[in-house]
Amino acid sequence: MEVVYLDNAATSFPKPEATLEAMMRYQRAIGGSPGRSGHRLSIEAGRVVLDTRDTLARLFNVEDPLRIVFTKNATEALNIALIGLLRPGDHAITTGMEHNAVMRPLRFLASRGVELSVVPCSDRGELDPEDIRAAFRTNTRAVVLTHASNVTGTIMPVQEIGVLTRERGDMVLCVDAAQTAGALPVDVEAMAVDLLAFTGHKSLYGPQGTGGLYIRKGLDEKIAPLMRGGTGSRSEFEDQPDFMPDKYESGTPNTIGLAGLGAGAAFILEQGVEAVREKEEALTRRFLHHLQDLRGDVTVYGPPAAQKRIPLISFNLRDITPSDAALYLDEQWGIMCRPGLHCAPAAHRTIGTFPQGTVRFSFGFFNTEEHVDLAAEALRRLLRG
Amino acid sequence: MTREDPFGVVLFESVSHALRAEKIIKAENIPCKLIPVPRQLSSDCGICLRFSTLHKEQVESALAGKLDFFEVALL
Ligand SMILES: Cc1ncc(COP(=O)(O)O)c(C=O)c1O
């Protein structure tokens, strides 16, 4: 049985050959520790890491690539941003659609004296920017939100919110782009994003263990690092460097992973984010059409139009639990999907699917119309019993 | 550039800066090479960018405004 992988929102699979080749090339022929030793293999390793920074800077329209800090995933990036920025007495605003990568650090900070407002969203996961504005207080320091929900696929009005935070001047817009980096256009200037957290292993087609944080110029002065240690720079001093990106990059990095991430991101740039988006939106539209035919038996969550969502569809099938459906799809059809709560209990509460969750299909660059049709056929058979 | 040419080096606060400078200088077709920082100099990061003294002005103007660097030293 051929495996049909429809769990790209958890992690993309397969990866482009270029990703694997770059990782092999690094470990076979380079292997040095970047920025540590000064010999040619160390310098070459440093070039690999810098090339990856450059590629991502191009993808996100970041002028200075050194404003991108590498982390092991979006979760670490969000922790650096939130724990580093928010102090007791500050007020932060987030939404009812957040992943625990945002919600748990914010709940932790709330237990330490940060004021937190969670702005509700509609049962399709839609956010009204006016509700964000209405939550502003004089001590509001940051608005933190996902660029797209990993539960409903809903694309959030980040650009509109960027206009509001910019009007306030002193307010920071922190965006969780775990689901969108590589899948939707992301432009930190046009969207007025101050902090952008991304993960490498989803729509950027890098390996797991890679991610990063873009920090707008000047803002690093206000964000304490989460970790301190060796950076290969300022080695004669025992204090942590205060410049980007070393301030936040202590310890030997995941160079092999960053080699793969650079190649994955370059692959997306070559295809063009718009072309990738068009292809994935078409697959989403096709699957939504199939679900229309099953509408008596299937509840679909999120916006009805493919255009308003990332390539991800959450649904429930009559009285069949998500976990039973997922097991059937895996065992009988070789279809990989994700049932349950998707690390986002707040979002499931918003759409009314807590605690049983949903079945989630998520498409990626390597999925085809045949995959979509097979998945629909599998659901039809399951419903027929 | 041969080893015997009189050369200068640009010193940086981090290896990332040095590598980025190398890219910028090479894009201008100015010959340069990343080397460990010579012992007589002290620098924050372990490597620096070596260039022929013939290209001192070109190097400085290529980097100006694009990247912070500590100093340009002639050896
Ligand atoms: C919306 C959202 N935010 C954050 C994350 C966390 O990403 P990572 O697990 O790579 O840190 C994910 C995915 O797991 C996600 O879907």
Side-chain angles (χ1 to χ4, degrees):
Chain A
M1 190 180 352
E2 192 208 346
V3 164
V4 175
Y5 188 83
L6 301 183
D7 195 17
N8 290 280
T11 196
S12 58
F13 180 77
K15 305 294 182 189
E17 269 311 301
T19 300
L20 311 187
E21 277 162 16
M23 295 173 78
M24 288 295 272
R25 176 179 167 268
Y26 165 75
Q27 200 59 73
R28 277 231 165 87
I30 305 173
S33 177
R36 295 300 193 267
S37 311
H39 55 69
R40 76 182 78 162
L41 294 182
S42 167
I43 290 173
E44 195 52 34
R47 285 198 189 101
V48 167
V49 174
L50 182 67
D51 284 346
T52 301
R53 254 189 256 280
D54 283 352
T55 305
L56 292 167
R58 241 176 295 145
L59 197 56
F60 303 143
N61 192 27
V62 169
E63 195 190 331
D64 176 2
L66 301 185
R67 305 226 53 92
I68 296 174
V69 169
F70 287 126
T71 61
K72 72 176 152 87
N73 48 35
T75 303
E76 189 187 8
L78 287 161
N79 273 271
I80 293 172
L82 300 176
I83 310 278
L85 178 74
L86 296 167
R87 308 262 174 283
D90 286 345
H91 174 233
I93 300 172
T94 191
T95 83
M97 290 306 289
E98 300 308 313
H99 188 276
N100 271 342
V102 167
M103 215 45 119
R104 285 181 173 167
L106 286 179
R107 291 287 179 207
F108 166 76
L109 287 165
S111 77
R112 302 292 161 101
V114 170
E115 297 169 29
L116 179 64
S117 301
V118 182
V119 171
C121 295
S122 78
D123 60 5
R124 286 176 177 171
E126 293 150 334
L127 174 70
D128 183 347
E130 277 311 308
D131 292 343
I132 295 283
R133 190 210 292 271
F136 283 180
R137 297 179 191 166
T138 51
N139 60 336
T140 304
R141 185 81 187 94
V143 176
V144 189
L145 86 163
T146 188
H147 189 190
S149 162
N150 68 314
V151 170
T152 57
T154 317
I155 298 170
M156 296 303 209
V158 171
Q159 190 149 0
E160 287 88 329
I161 291 164
V163 172
L164 302 179
T165 50
R166 232 354 97 78
E167 271 170 16
R168 274 284 299 256
D170 56 340
M171 212 181 273
V172 171
L173 176 59
C174 174
V175 172
D176 171 6
Q179 287 295 340
T180 56
L184 291 182
V186 173
D187 180 326
V188 296
E189 293 307 325
M191 297 161 89
V193 174
D194 300 305
L195 294 166
L196 183 84
F198 59 91
T199 205
H201 65 98
K202 301 189 199 239
S203 297
L204 291 171
Y205 293 92
Q208 293 170 16
T210 59
L213 178 67
Y214 157 75
I215 303 179
R216 182 171 295 282
K217 194 168 166 61
L219 198 50
D220 49 301
E221 285 160 29
K222 295 171 185 143
I223 298 177
L226 210 52
M227 292 205 292
R228 293 165 184 83
T231 55
S233 53
R234 294 178 74 85
S235 294
E236 59 272 52
F237 299 105
E238 294 183 1
D239 292 327
Q240 188 73 5
D242 60 357
F243 50 83
M244 295 284 292
D246 296 32
K247 181 176 177 183
Y248 307 98
E249 287 186 354
S250 291
T252 306
N254 176 11
T255 312
I256 184 170
L258 294 174
L261 172 59
F267 173 82
I268 292 300
L269 269 179
E270 272 160 39
Q271 305 294 324
V273 175
E274 277 81 10
V276 172
R277 169 64 188 162
E278 208 171 295
K279 176 180 172 173
E280 293 179 350
E281 194 179 312
L283 294 175
T284 309
R285 190 167 296 115
R286 190 177 183 93
F287 188 64
L288 286 169
H289 275 302
H290 283 301
L291 290 181
Q292 268 288 316
D293 298 339
L294 299 171
R295 92 194 117 214
D297 293 313
V298 180
T299 310
V300 182
Y301 304 97
Q307 195 195 334
K308 300 217 159 142
R309 42 163 98 222
I310 52 171
L312 172 166
I313 296 157
S314 263
F315 54 90
N316 267 311
L317 303 165
R318 239 171 28 215
D319 52 348
I320 304 167
T321 65
S323 49
D324 284 347
L327 186 61
Y328 166 83
L329 291 167
D330 182 348
E331 288 184 338
Q332 304 298 315
W333 295 80
I335 293 172
M336 311 292 131
C337 67
R338 180 161 176 194
L341 292 174
H342 316 102
C343 297
H348 280 280
R349 281 202 180 87
T350 296
I351 68 170
T353 49
F354 188 85
Q356 77 282 5
T358 57
V359 181
R360 184 183 77 180
F361 284 3
S362 47
F363 308 116
F365 185 82
F366 295 104
N367 285 126
T368 61
E369 293 185 345
E370 289 71 42
H371 293 159
V372 170
D373 295 349
L374 184 84
E377 179 58 20
L379 295 183
R380 241 173 253 126
R381 297 279 190 86
L382 170 59
L383 286 165
R384 241 185 271 145
Chain B
M1 184 166 53
T2 69
R3 260 195 170 308
E4 288 69 40
D5 281 339
F7 65 87
V9 295
V10 198
L11 302 174
F12 303 92
E13 53 186 7
S14 85
V15 174
S16 303
H17 288 80
L19 289 162
R20 202 157 127 64
E22 184 200 31
K23 264 199 180 176
I24 293 169
I25 304 284
K26 286 205 164 149
E28 304 266 332
N29 289 317
I30 307 167
C32 65
K33 183 174 164 62
L34 288 168
I35 59 164
V37 177
R39 204 203 306 236
Q40 63 268 41
L41 299 174
S42 85
S43 153
D44 273 359
C45 79
I47 58 174
C48 61
L49 195 66
R50 186 180 70 185
F51 57 88
S52 157
T53 48
L54 299 174
H55 300 120
K56 178 166 184 288
E57 261 119 65
Q58 279 167 276
V59 166
E60 282 172 337
S61 68
L63 294 180
K66 292 214 184 100
L67 195 74
D68 291 336
F69 54 92
F70 272 167
E71 61 173 292
V72 177
L74 295 180
L75 298 175

